[in-house]
């Protein structure tokens, strides 16, 4: 579209009132702001022209051209007498009375020439109407009558000359009249049509509609957490738009701040996007993704039974009677040294037994939610009754949601009292079946094998009621029962397959350990190739010793498994940093202030029993109203692994007198963060504990020498200070080290290192035999030949 075409201009060109044009446009598109000076759009002009064209439609233009020609000829006829008046004054006759062929009686050549042509022009009007009509018909077919010898061609070109003159006059009027300012640069107007304000508004509305439709079609998946910038990228809008909408919601966030899914979803839906929650597929999902077990794919599996109870109540003896093998005889002192996993045949059906010496592995299984066992056999001596470790076993079994069967052992003794045992069981919410409860109680004797068959029948009956099933056709998964480092075979793990089938050569992952099954043996030491559900096996081939209680899985992609192991190790390190701080004498007062500690448990180990009792009494006397010192365990001998495990579980401190920890205990204490305090004098222990309770235990520091450097040259540099060119004599110089300036064997300054460079590059350390440049933070009076001694200050504790 070129220049603006206004309503009154259109009306003038159409020879109609402006009101008619306005009424016509109101019917086309209502606009209360439309006036006679309003510029029309291209669509509106097309509508107006089309409407008036339809109204004034004719079959042909012959009548129009005839009227125009008559009007022009009429003007010529009126002008003809004025042209003939001049010769008549000179004595000549009127031109109409002179015949066309006679000679004039007066006048010379000019008059003669005029009289010869004018009779033809005078006679022309009489014949004009007929000839004009015929000529116009020929013009409609773009032909000219050339039969006569005298044809006035100018009359056919006169219309076009008038049209050309009219256009030139109109163009000249537009050029001379006032014009609006326009862009003079072609580059600014190139490819950009000049739009009116109404067209610009229409274009803006069209773009807004397209944007709204685009956002309605936009579908985004949002994670649990994301930054404002990431949300802006997903929604394809500016980050400032997101920040503005967050401010409306009352959330002040920058582009780099993290927002949760709910907040991001509100913003996205307000913009008009369709939001869905992003499903994050982890490495575990890709490795362990298995279809849901179908009922047809599952088969009945053997039950897994754990035997628990107090020390020396006969757990292993009952297993010995069940297996018909003397397991106890092969153990040192008749005490179980490790976790045993066995499988026995009972009436043609296998049953898997786990024998637990303590509760470390079983507790680890429960803490990780791995229900490795189905049934718990609680062994209680008929002459002792319920003991503390028995109560702990009951709590473990309840927490793991196991079916409990009570085996009342040692019924062969004269002092056996099963009624007392059942009475004590009711105090811990275990009501026997004989008393109307649901707990099966079986009197047995491991020595005489009385009641062993009944116990096995009850185990099988309980397993049938629970309908234990598994799918042997899938990849194996299970739990690590125990693990150790064998000198000849490397890491060895005893695992219990809970579902699927484990094959020799399978790639497995257990916690942070990964590898392939090299050798697989059963509980009798026989080498096997496959292990089905509820089968305990011992395997080798892992890269490291797994943790007891870790879940293991057989995987198909070993590379992805190793990637998962690295991820788990990193997460374990981060978790270790975030874990709560163990109680030590150094941070005891802080824990008391925070209200986290009301009791300080202590484990006492000494060389003689008399020292143990003396230390126990002395430490328990220093209790105050804020914290109570309680000795939870005291014994004679070196600090061993059991003491560290107990201290770790109870958050206790180990105090030793004239004893040393064994290497295993020391390593475990460092790993678990358990503090071991060793003393030679009892009063030192009392003083340390008392001072720690008051929050007055001051830390001790010592200097650790790193290296020495000699100053070879000194530079004075503006804006930098004094730079010492040094040569490292021994050790190393680190960027974070403190510097002692020694001159002639005397320490003249002690400062921190401000910068350490080698050539022009900043370095973290410089080793012996290399040159470097150093600047100190404060001291600048440095001479050639001075010795820089680098050292670090570390905190230490007296052991």
């Amino acid at each position: 579209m070129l220049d603006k075409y206004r309503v009154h201009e259109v009306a003038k060109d159409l020879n109609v009132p402006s009101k008619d044009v306005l009424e016509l446009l109101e019917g086309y598109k209502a606009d209360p702001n439309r006036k006679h000076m309003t510029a029309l759009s291209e669509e509106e002009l097309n509508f107006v022209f089309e409407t008036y064209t339809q109204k004034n439609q004719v079959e042909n233009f012959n009548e129009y051209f005839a009227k125009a020609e008559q009007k022009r000829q009429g003007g010529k006829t009126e002008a003809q007498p004025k042209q003939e008046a001049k010769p008549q004054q000179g004595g000549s006759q009127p031109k109409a009375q002179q015949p066309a062929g006679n000679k004039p009686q007066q006048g010379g050549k000019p008059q003669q020439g005029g009289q010869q042509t004018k009779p033809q022009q005078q006679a022309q009007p009489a014949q004009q109407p007929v000839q004009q009509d015929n000529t116009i018909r020929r013009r409609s077919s773009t032909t000219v009558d050339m039969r006569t010898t005298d044809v006035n061609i100018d009359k056919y070109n006169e219309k076009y000359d008038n049209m050309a003159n009219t256009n030139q006059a109109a163009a000249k009027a537009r050029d001379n009249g006032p014009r609006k300012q326009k862009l003079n640069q072609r580059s600014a107007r190139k490819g950009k049509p000049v739009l009116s304000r109404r067209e610009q508004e229409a274009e803006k509305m069209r773009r807004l509609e397209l944007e709204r439709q685009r956002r309605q079609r936009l579908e985004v998946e949002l994670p649990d957490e994301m930054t404002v910038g990431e949300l802006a990228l997903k929604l394809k809008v500016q980050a400032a738009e997101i920040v503005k909408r967050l401010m409306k919601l009352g959330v002040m966030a920058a582009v780099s701040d993290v927002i949760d899914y709910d907040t991001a979803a509100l913003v996205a839906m307000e913009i008009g996007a369709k939001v869905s929650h992003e499903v994050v597929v982890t490495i575990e999902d890709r490795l362990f993704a298995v279809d849901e077990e179908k009922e047809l794919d599952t088969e009945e599996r053997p039950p897994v039974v754990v035997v628990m109870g107090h020390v020396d109540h006969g757990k292993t003896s009952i297993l010995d009677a069940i297996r018909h093998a003397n397991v106890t005889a092969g153990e040192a002192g008749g005490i179980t040294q490790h976790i045993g996993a066995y499988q026995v045949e009972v009436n043609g059906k296998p049953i898997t037994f786990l024998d637990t010496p303590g509760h470390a592995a079983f507790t680890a299984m429960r803490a990780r939610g791995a229900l490795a066992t189905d049934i718990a056999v609680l062994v209680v001596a008929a002459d002792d009754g319920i003991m503390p470790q028995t109560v702990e076993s009951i709590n473990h079994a309840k927490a793991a949601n196991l079916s409990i069967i009570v085996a009342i052992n040692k019924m062969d003794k004269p002092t056996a009292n099963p009624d007392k045992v059942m009475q004590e069981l009711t105090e811990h919410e275990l009501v026997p079946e004989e008393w109307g409860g649901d707990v099966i109680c079986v009197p047995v004797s491991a020595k005489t094998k009385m009641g062993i068959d009944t116990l096995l029948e009850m185990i099988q009956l309980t397993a049938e009621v629970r309908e234990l099933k598994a799918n042997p056709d899938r990849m194996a998964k299970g739990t690590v029962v125990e693990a150790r480092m064998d000198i000849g075979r490397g890491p060895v793990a005893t695992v219990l397959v809970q579902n699927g089938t484990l094959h020799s050569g399978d790639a497995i992952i257990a916690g942070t350990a990964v590898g392939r099954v090299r050798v697989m043996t059963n509980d009798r030491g026989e080498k096997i190739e496959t292990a089905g559900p509820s089968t305990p096996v011992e395997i080798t081939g892992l890269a490291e010793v797994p943790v007891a209680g870790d879940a293991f899985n057989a995987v198909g992609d070993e590379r992805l498994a190793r990637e998962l192991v690295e991820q788990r190790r990193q997460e374990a390190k981060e978790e270790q940093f975030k874990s709560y701080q163990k109680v030590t004498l150094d941070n005891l007062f802080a824990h008391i202030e925070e209200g986290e500690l009301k009791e300080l448990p202590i484990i006492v180990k000494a060389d003689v029993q008399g020292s143990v009792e003396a230390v126990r009494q002395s430490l328990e006397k220093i209790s105050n109203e804020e914290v109570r010192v309680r000795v939870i365990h005291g014994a004679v001998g070196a600090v061993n692994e059991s003491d560290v495990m107990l201290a770790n579980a109870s958050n206790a401190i180990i105090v030793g007198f004239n004893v040393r920890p064994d290497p295993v205990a020391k390593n475990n204490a460092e790993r678990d963060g358990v503090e071991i305090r060793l003393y030679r004098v009892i009063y030192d222990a009392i003083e340390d504990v008392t001072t720690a309770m008051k929050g007055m235990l001051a830390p001790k520091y010592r200097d650790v020498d790193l290296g020495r450097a000699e100053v070879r040259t000194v530079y004075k540099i503006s804006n930098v200070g004094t730079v010492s060119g040094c040569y490292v004599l021994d050790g190393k110089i680190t960027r974070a080290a403190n510097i002692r300036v020694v001159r002639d064997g005397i320490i003249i300054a002690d400062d921190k290192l401000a910068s350490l460079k080698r050539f022009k590059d900043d370095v973290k350390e410089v080793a012996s035999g290399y040159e470097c440049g150093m600047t100190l933070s404060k001291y600048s009076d440095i001479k050639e030949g001075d010795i820089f001694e680098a050292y670090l200050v570390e905190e230490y504790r007296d052991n």
Side-chain angles (χ1 to χ4, degrees):
M1 181 177 179
L2 299 177
D3 295 335
K4 294 182 180 179
Y5 207 7
R6 304 184 186 277
V7 172
H8 71 92
E9 295 175 347
V10 175
K12 180 180 179 181
D13 292 342
L14 295 176
N15 197 21
V16 295
S18 300
K19 182 179 179 182
D20 295 349
V21 177
L22 289 174
E23 291 177 354
L24 178 64
L25 290 174
E26 284 296 322
Y28 171 66
K29 184 185 296 184
D31 186 359
N33 298 324
R34 188 183 289 114
K35 307 295 181 181
H36 72 284
M37 289 296 294
T38 303
L40 300 181
S41 64
E42 188 173 351
E43 292 82 1
E44 293 172 335
L45 287 174
N46 292 337
F47 173 75
V48 171
F49 292 156
E50 181 66 22
T51 302
Y52 277 95
T53 301
Q54 296 294 335
K55 285 182 178 180
N56 299 288
Q57 188 174 6
V58 296
E59 295 182 357
N60 53 57
F61 294 95
N62 296 338
E63 184 180 355
Y64 170 77
F65 286 121
K67 291 180 179 180
E69 188 65 23
Q70 289 176 2
K71 184 185 294 186
R72 192 178 71 252
Q73 291 297 331
K76 286 185 176 183
T77 305
E78 293 175 359
Q80 190 71 24
K82 295 180 182 181
Q83 295 177 359
E84 294 177 351
K86 291 181 182 180
Q88 193 173 7
Q89 290 177 0
S92 61
Q93 296 179 357
K95 296 179 181 178
Q97 297 177 3
Q98 293 180 359
N102 296 336
K103 294 181 181 180
Q105 296 178 2
Q106 297 180 5
K109 290 183 179 180
Q111 189 176 9
Q112 181 181 358
Q115 290 176 354
Q116 288 178 352
T117 56
K118 287 180 181 179
Q120 296 179 358
Q121 296 176 358
Q122 185 178 1
Q124 186 71 21
Q127 301 175 356
Q128 185 66 27
V130 178
Q131 294 178 359
Q132 182 69 22
D133 185 54
N134 295 337
T135 305
I136 289 175
R137 289 195 186 94
R138 294 189 183 95
R139 285 180 59 188
S140 64
S141 59
T142 65
T143 59
V144 179
D145 187 5
M146 302 297 292
R147 290 175 292 179
T148 178
T149 57
D150 189 6
V151 179
N152 190 2
I153 301 299
D154 292 337
K155 71 177 182 180
Y156 298 103
N157 297 332
E158 185 178 5
K159 176 177 176 60
Y160 302 105
D161 293 340
N162 294 336
M163 291 174 61
N165 294 332
T166 304
N167 293 337
Q168 290 177 1
K172 186 175 181 180
R174 286 198 302 268
D175 293 341
N176 295 333
R179 301 182 64 184
K180 291 187 177 181
Q181 182 180 2
K182 297 185 180 296
L183 296 175
N184 295 324
Q185 297 181 356
R186 293 182 178 270
S187 59
R189 295 181 298 171
K190 186 175 181 180
K192 296 181 180 179
V194 180
L195 301 179
S196 64
R197 181 180 301 175
R198 189 173 189 82
E199 291 173 330
Q200 291 175 356
E201 292 178 356
E203 180 68 15
K204 183 177 179 181
M205 293 299 296
R206 186 183 66 83
R207 291 180 180 177
L208 290 175
E209 180 65 19
L210 291 176
E211 181 69 14
R212 186 182 65 82
Q213 294 177 1
R214 182 187 66 82
R215 290 178 177 176
Q216 286 181 349
R217 295 192 299 266
L218 184 62
E219 298 182 2
V220 294
E221 291 185 353
L222 302 181
D224 294 332
E225 290 183 346
M226 64 187 311
T227 63
V228 175
E230 292 172 347
L231 178 60
L233 289 176
K234 284 182 175 290
L235 296 177
K236 300 177 181 179
V237 297
Q238 296 292 331
E241 179 72 15
I242 304 296
V243 174
K244 182 174 68 175
R245 293 181 182 272
L246 286 173
M247 292 175 65
K248 293 180 180 178
L249 297 175
V251 179
M252 306 299 294
V255 178
S256 59
D257 290 347
V258 178
I259 57 176
D260 57 7
Y261 167 78
D262 295 333
T263 306
L266 286 176
V267 175
M269 288 187 290
E270 184 179 351
I271 289 178
K274 184 177 181 182
V275 181
S276 60
H277 204 159
E278 182 180 10
V279 179
V280 180
V281 180
T282 61
I283 300 179
E284 287 94 338
D285 296 334
R286 287 187 286 170
L287 270 177
F288 311 144
V290 182
D291 296 335
E292 295 183 1
E293 304 290 351
K294 298 180 180 179
E295 189 68 24
L296 298 176
D297 297 336
T298 57
E299 299 177 0
E300 185 179 357
R301 65 173 177 84
V304 181
V305 182
V306 60
V307 181
M308 299 189 300
H310 194 69
V311 175
D312 199 28
H313 274 202
K315 300 186 297 296
T316 307
S317 298
I318 291 180
L319 278 176
D320 180 20
I322 292 174
R323 296 173 58 207
H324 303 288
N326 190 5
V327 179
T328 307
E331 296 180 349
I335 301 174
T336 303
Q337 300 294 317
H338 63 280
I339 302 173
Y342 318 104
Q343 195 170 50
V344 297
E345 293 281 341
V346 179
N347 298 328
K349 294 183 178 180
I351 300 178
T352 300
F353 287 93
L354 295 182
D355 186 15
T356 58
H359 300 280
F362 191 72
T363 303
M365 295 177 194
R366 178 179 59 83
R368 291 171 175 82
L371 301 179
T373 55
D374 309 306
I375 302 171
V377 174
L378 185 65
V379 178
V380 184
D383 54 346
D384 283 349
I386 302 296
M387 301 297 286
Q389 198 170 350
T390 311
V391 176
E392 185 181 357
S393 301
I394 293 173
N395 294 333
H396 285 325
K398 287 182 178 180
N401 194 24
L402 303 180
S403 300
I404 300 176
I405 298 176
V406 179
I408 305 176
N409 194 21
K410 300 184 180 182
M411 289 296 295
D412 56 297
K413 286 191 174 183
T415 57
N417 188 358
D419 293 335
K420 176 189 175 184
V421 173
M422 289 189 286
Q423 173 63 34
E424 293 175 347
L425 286 174
T426 57
E427 297 175 0
H428 296 87
E429 300 179 357
L430 294 179
V431 182
E433 286 184 337
E434 290 83 352
W435 292 6
D438 57 353
V439 178
I440 301 174
C441 295
V442 181
V444 296
S445 173
K447 186 175 182 179
T448 63
K449 294 185 174 56
M450 182 200 75
I452 296 298
D453 295 337
T454 305
L455 177 63
L456 295 176
E457 290 177 3
M458 292 297 103
I459 292 174
Q460 286 188 332
L461 178 62
T462 305
E464 290 176 1
V465 171
R466 296 195 61 171
E467 296 182 351
L468 304 173
K469 293 185 178 182
N471 181 12
D473 298 328
R474 55 162 288 170
M475 302 190 79
K477 63 177 293 187
T479 304
V480 178
V481 178
E482 69 172 3
R484 67 184 189 277
M485 177 64 74
D486 191 279
I487 298 176
R489 297 187 294 170
V492 178
T494 301
V495 299
L496 176 67
V497 181
Q498 295 176 269
N499 202 356
T501 302
L502 183 64
H503 301 82
S504 181
D506 284 351
I508 64 172
I509 177 174
T512 58
V514 66
R516 286 189 176 273
V517 179
R518 293 181 183 173
V519 180
M520 185 162 51
T521 56
N522 59 13
D523 58 310
R524 293 180 295 275
E526 301 171 352
K527 184 178 178 181
I528 58 177
E529 295 296 327
T530 59
S534 301
T535 303
V537 290
E538 193 175 70
I539 61 173
T540 61
L542 293 174
E544 62 181 67
V545 178
V547 180
D550 277 347
F552 84 89
N553 292 81
V555 297
D557 191 344
E558 187 176 359
R559 181 194 59 80
L560 202 59
R562 296 187 183 277
E563 183 179 346
L564 176 59
V565 165
E566 292 298 327
Q567 179 179 323
R568 287 179 175 177
R569 287 174 181 168
Q570 184 65 26
E571 291 175 354
K573 288 181 181 179
E574 295 176 358
E575 190 67 23
Q576 183 179 0
F577 293 145
K578 296 178 183 178
S579 63
Y580 69 93
Q581 191 177 11
K582 294 286 184 181
V583 177
T584 65
L585 292 184
D586 298 313
N587 58 26
L588 173 62
F589 187 72
H591 282 270
I592 295 173
E593 283 184 332
E594 294 173 3
E596 296 179 358
L597 190 67
K598 299 297 183 182
E599 181 179 87
L600 175 61
I602 293 179
I603 297 173
V604 177
K605 296 299 291 284
D607 54 348
V608 292
Q609 185 65 30
S611 299
V612 175
E613 296 302 326
V615 173
R616 181 196 298 268
Q617 294 175 5
S618 300
L619 292 177
E620 289 181 348
K621 284 180 182 178
I622 63 176
S623 300
N624 56 31
E625 59 184 8
E626 293 180 347
V627 59
R628 181 172 67 90
V629 178
R630 184 170 67 94
V631 179
I632 61 175
H633 178 63
V636 177
V639 179
N640 55 33
E641 187 179 3
S642 300
D643 299 328
V644 176
M645 291 176 61
L646 179 58
N648 186 35
S650 58
N651 203 15
I653 299 172
I654 299 177
V655 176
F657 289 87
N658 296 325
V659 293
R660 301 290 299 176
D662 59 38
V664 177
K666 187 175 181 180
N667 293 335
N668 290 350
E670 293 177 354
R671 181 193 66 195
D672 298 335
V674 175
E675 183 179 22
I676 301 177
R677 290 266 178 165
L678 304 177
Y679 298 94
R680 299 294 298 274
V681 181
I682 187 173
Y683 302 107
D684 293 339
I686 296 173
E687 182 182 357
D688 281 355
V689 174
T690 304
T691 308
M693 291 172 62
K694 296 178 181 179
M696 298 168 56
L697 188 61
K700 297 181 180 180
Y701 301 93
R702 62 186 174 192
D703 296 342
V704 180
D705 293 332
L706 298 177
R708 296 166 63 249
E710 180 184 359
V711 178
R712 296 289 178 88
T713 183
V714 180
Y715 302 96
K716 300 287 186 180
I717 303 176
S718 59
N719 299 329
V720 175
T722 303
V723 179
S724 305
C726 303
Y727 177 83
V728 181
L729 300 176
D730 52 46
K732 63 180 180 179
I733 308 295
T734 62
R735 175 66 180 80
N738 296 331
I739 299 296
R740 283 191 295 260
V741 182
V742 180
R743 184 179 299 165
D744 299 330
I746 300 173
I747 300 175
I748 62 173
D750 197 339
D751 201 353
K752 288 191 66 67
L753 193 61
S755 67
L756 178 64
K757 292 179 178 288
R758 176 158 171 79
F759 299 106
K760 294 184 179 181
D761 299 327
D762 290 318
V763 294
K764 293 184 179 179
E765 65 179 34
V766 179
S768 175
Y770 290 92
E771 295 180 346
C772 61
M774 288 185 283
T775 59
L776 302 182
S777 298
K778 300 177 181 178
Y779 190 76
S780 60
D781 188 16
I782 301 171
K783 308 294 183 183
E784 293 183 8
D786 289 350
I787 301 297
F788 285 1
E789 293 182 356
Y791 69 97
L792 292 176
V793 179
E794 72 173 8
E795 181 181 346
Y796 76 100
R797 299 169 184 165
D798 293 327
N799 292 329

